Amino acid sequence: MPPPPRNPDHRSPKRPRFPPPPPVPEEEEEEEEEDDDEFSDISADDEEDCSDESADDEEDDVEVVAVVTVAEAQSRRYVGSSSSTSSPVKLNSSEILDCPTCLEPLRGPIYQCVNGHITCSPCLPRVYKQCPVCRIPIGNIRCRAMEMVIESSAVPCRYAIYGCKETTLYGDQAHEKVCPYIRCQCPVTNCSYTGGYKEVEAHARLQHSWDVEHLIPFVFNTPQIFSINLARTSRAVFQEEKEGDMIVVQTFKRTNGGVCVTVSHIAPLSLGVRNLSCSLAKLNAYTTLRLGVMVKKIQKLREQEEPREDFLFIPDYMLSDNHLKMQICVGSEFKCTGLELGVDDILNTKLERQFKLVMDKGTLDAIGLHPDGPVKRVMYWDSVSKLVAPGGILVITSCNNTKDELLEEVENFNMRKSNLTGDVSSEAASGTDHPPFEYLSHVRTYPTFMFGGSVGSRVATVAFLRK
C-alpha cells in the first residue's frame, strides 16, 4: 500500500494560520513594503468577519493591544534601554491587564499553565496551584512577557471619567488613594448617594438639611452638645453651616463592656483638603473624659469594628440607659487638640517654661555625629536639664548608643554638675547631694541579637527622672 501523499506545507498544524493574502499587483508592491508587516497576514475577508461580531471585535482589540505592548516591552529590555529613562506604554484602560481570577491589578511574579492562562502570585495559593480555566496544575512557569508589560505600562487613573488627568504605572495605587476625584459616600443613615466629596456635601445640604435628627449643623471652633441613642443608631453626622464639611461621630460597643467613640471627616486624602482637629468630651457630674485628636479623613463608613487608635473609651458606668451625651468642638489644623507646635534650638533654647515630659528621638544621635560632638553634647545636657521640671521624666531613644552608654553619659553629666556646684564629699555628708538625673526604666521589648557573645538591640530607649 503506497504511503499517503505528504503535505507540502511544513508549518506546524497546531497553530491556526490565516489564509494566504491575495496576489498584489506590481504597482502596489512598493507601497506594501513601506507598510507595517505586523498585520500583513490578515486578509480583507477576515476583517469583514471580525467587524460583524461586536464581542469578537472587543476580544481582538485586547489581543492587539497586548501584542503591541509585549513587543515594545521586549524591545526595550533587549535593546538595553532602561525602563526608568524610556517613556512607559500608555493603555486606554487598566482593566485590560487585570488578573482573570481576582479581577485586581496583576502583581508579579505572574505564572501560567501550559495552555497560556495566567494567574497572579497572590491568587496562586487560593486556586491551589491549579489553572482556574482549564484545571491543569500550574507549576513554576513564569510569564515573563506579561511581567515586562506590567513594568512598562502606564494607565490613566480609575477616576479619569470624573476629571482626573493623572497617569500612573500599572499596579501603582498610591495616587488613587490620594486622588481628589475619589468617590465618597453620604454618611447619613439609609442614604447610598456616592460622588465627589464636594458633591456629597451639596447633596447633604439639599436632601438632608431639614432632618436635624440625622444631620446636625455646627460651626467651626464652637463647642456643641449632642446626644446619641445607642439603642437606635451608632453614629451622629454633622455638617458645617458655611463650608459644608461633614463630620461623623461613630460609636463601637466593646464585647467586654464600654463604648469606643471615633471622629472622621468625609473627604479625600489629597493635600488640597484642609486638616481638621477635634475636641471630644464626655461630661458627667464628677467625671470628665476628653480627647483631642486630628480628625481622620475617610471616604465612606466601614463596618462595625473596634478601632485601634484615635478613639475615646467611655466605660459603662458613665452611660445611662444607652443614652450618650457628649460635647464636640471641631477646628482647623491643631486648634482643638490642646497641642502647641513650635520650633526651638535645643542647644540654645529660648523656652522659658519647664515640662513634665521631654522626649528625644534621634536628636542626641545627630549631635554625636557632628564634628564638634563632645562640645555639642555638653550644651545639649545643660539645655535639657533646664527644660525638664523637677519630678519630670526625660526619655531618650537612640540608635547609636546602647543602654549602658546612655547611663554612662548621664552619670558623667551628673558628676560634672556636682563638680561645678562644689565639693562632692561635703555635699554628700550634709545630705544635699542630689544628681540632676537618675535612671528610672528602659524598654525591654525591642528585638535582640547576639554578636561576639554579647546580646544587644538596634534601638535603646531609656527613661531618666529629674530630681
Side-chain angles (χ1 to χ4, degrees):
M1 180 177 181
R6 185 175 180 180
N7 187 2
D9 190 0
H10 64 278
R11 295 176 296 180
S12 173
K14 294 182 179 180
R15 178 180 297 180
R17 301 286 180 173
F18 291 109
V24 182
E26 296 181 356
E27 298 177 355
E28 300 180 1
E29 285 182 359
E30 296 181 358
E31 298 180 359
E32 292 293 337
E33 291 178 357
E34 297 178 358
D35 293 338
D36 191 359
D37 296 333
E38 204 168 353
F39 304 101
S40 60
D41 292 336
I42 303 177
S43 63
D45 294 335
D46 293 330
E47 293 179 357
E48 294 178 359
D49 295 337
C50 293
S51 61
D52 292 338
E53 300 180 4
S54 60
D56 294 342
D57 193 23
E58 293 177 359
E59 294 179 359
D60 293 341
D61 290 344
V62 174
E63 291 179 0
V64 169
V65 172
V67 170
V68 174
T69 309
V70 170
E72 187 166 347
Q74 290 177 338
S75 64
R76 293 177 182 176
R77 178 66 61 89
Y78 297 113
V79 168
S81 61
S82 61
S83 60
S84 60
T85 58
S86 58
S87 59
V89 181
K90 294 184 178 180
L91 302 178
N92 294 329
S93 175
S94 62
E95 297 180 357
I96 296 176
L97 301 179
D98 285 352
C99 175
T101 303
C102 62
L103 303 181
E104 294 292 335
L106 284 169
R107 287 182 289 176
I110 301 174
Y111 296 92
Q112 64 178 357
C113 69
V114 294
N115 292 328
H117 303 133
I118 61 175
T119 302
C120 64
S121 55
C123 290
L124 196 60
R126 300 175 187 172
V127 297
Y128 303 102
K129 294 188 176 182
Q130 286 190 346
C131 177
V133 179
C134 58
R135 301 301 180 184
I136 296 178
I138 300 177
N140 296 323
I141 305 176
R142 296 271 294 274
C143 187
R144 303 286 183 177
M146 187 59 69
E147 292 178 2
M148 287 188 289
V149 169
I150 292 177
E151 294 176 0
S152 58
S153 299
V155 296
C157 174
R158 69 166 61 183
Y159 305 110
I161 59 176
Y162 303 111
C164 183
K165 305 298 183 182
E166 293 291 332
T167 301
T168 61
L169 292 177
Y170 177 81
D172 184 8
Q173 300 179 351
H175 163 73
E176 293 182 357
K177 294 180 180 179
V178 299
C179 180
Y181 295 92
I182 192 172
R183 302 292 89 185
C184 298
Q185 185 175 353
C186 180
V188 177
T189 305
N190 298 328
C191 182
S192 59
Y193 178 83
T194 302
Y197 81 104
K198 286 297 182 182
E199 298 172 356
V200 172
E201 293 173 359
H203 157 80
R205 191 184 299 275
L206 181 64
Q207 300 293 334
H208 306 294
S209 59
W210 57 271
D211 189 359
V212 294
E213 182 179 356
H214 295 95
L215 187 63
I216 307 172
F218 78 98
V219 179
F220 280 139
N221 303 316
T222 303
Q224 183 172 345
I225 301 293
F226 71 98
S227 60
I228 299 178
N229 188 348
L230 301 178
R232 297 175 53 188
T233 183
S234 61
R235 75 185 74 164
V237 183
F238 299 82
Q239 185 170 33
E240 212 279 330
E241 292 184 354
K242 296 181 180 179
E243 302 295 335
D245 295 76
M246 301 194 69
I247 304 297
V248 183
V249 177
Q250 278 186 283
T251 60
F252 304 87
K253 290 186 178 181
R254 300 184 62 179
T255 55
N256 55 352
V259 175
C260 297
V261 185
T262 63
V263 185
S264 304
H265 180 200
I266 302 296
L269 299 176
S270 56
L271 298 177
V273 181
R274 75 180 80 195
N275 295 320
L276 302 178
S277 60
C278 173
S279 175
L280 192 65
K282 178 67 177 75
L283 307 178
N284 275 20
Y286 304 100
T287 306
T288 299
L289 298 177
R290 187 177 298 275
L291 173 68
V293 67
M294 297 298 298
V295 181
K296 183 179 180 180
K297 298 175 183 176
I298 63 173
Q299 290 73 54
K300 64 178 182 179
L301 300 182
R302 302 297 180 183
E303 296 295 333
Q304 290 285 341
E305 57 182 9
E306 186 174 326
R308 298 183 178 180
E309 59 182 7
D310 299 336
F311 64 90
L312 177 65
F313 175 70
I314 302 176
D316 287 332
Y317 73 88
M318 297 188 68
L319 302 174
S320 57
D321 298 333
N322 288 326
H323 187 74
L324 181 61
K325 189 175 183 180
M326 305 185 68
Q327 181 191 71
I328 188 173
C329 182
V330 180
S332 59
E333 296 299 335
F334 296 91
K335 287 186 178 181
C336 297
T337 59
L339 300 177
E340 296 181 10
L341 301 181
V343 179
D344 185 59
D345 184 2
I346 190 63
L347 300 180
N348 188 19
T349 179
K350 300 297 190 297
L351 299 175
E352 299 180 355
R353 56 178 296 189
Q354 291 184 318
F355 303 89
K356 288 292 186 180
L357 177 63
V358 175
M359 302 182 67
D360 176 355
K361 188 176 182 181
T363 304
L364 185 60
D365 290 349
I367 293 174
L369 299 176
H370 193 273
D372 299 332
V375 177
K376 301 292 185 182
R377 293 174 94 94
V378 173
M379 299 172 60
Y380 168 86
W381 284 106
D382 288 339
S383 179
V384 167
S385 63
K386 298 176 182 178
L387 293 177
V388 184
I393 297 176
L394 169 65
V395 181
I396 300 178
T397 298
S398 174
C399 297
N400 298 341
N401 299 277
T402 63
K403 165 181 168 288
D404 295 335
E405 289 174 341
L406 292 176
L407 292 176
E408 182 180 357
E409 184 157 353
V410 170
E411 186 64 27
N412 294 335
F413 171 72
N414 291 337
M415 292 295 296
R416 185 170 61 86
K417 293 292 292 184
S418 299
N419 293 333
L420 292 177
T421 55
D423 187 9
V424 178
S425 60
S426 62
E427 290 183 358
S430 60
T432 59
D433 181 19
H434 297 291
F437 292 101
E438 68 176 17
Y439 167 77
L440 182 62
S441 182
H442 71 279
V443 176
R444 297 173 172 83
T445 58
Y446 289 134
T448 60
F449 64 94
M450 180 173 291
F451 180 78
S454 300
V455 179
S457 62
R458 295 181 176 86
V459 183
T461 300
V462 186
F464 300 95
L465 179 64
R466 181 73 164 90
K467 303 298 287 185

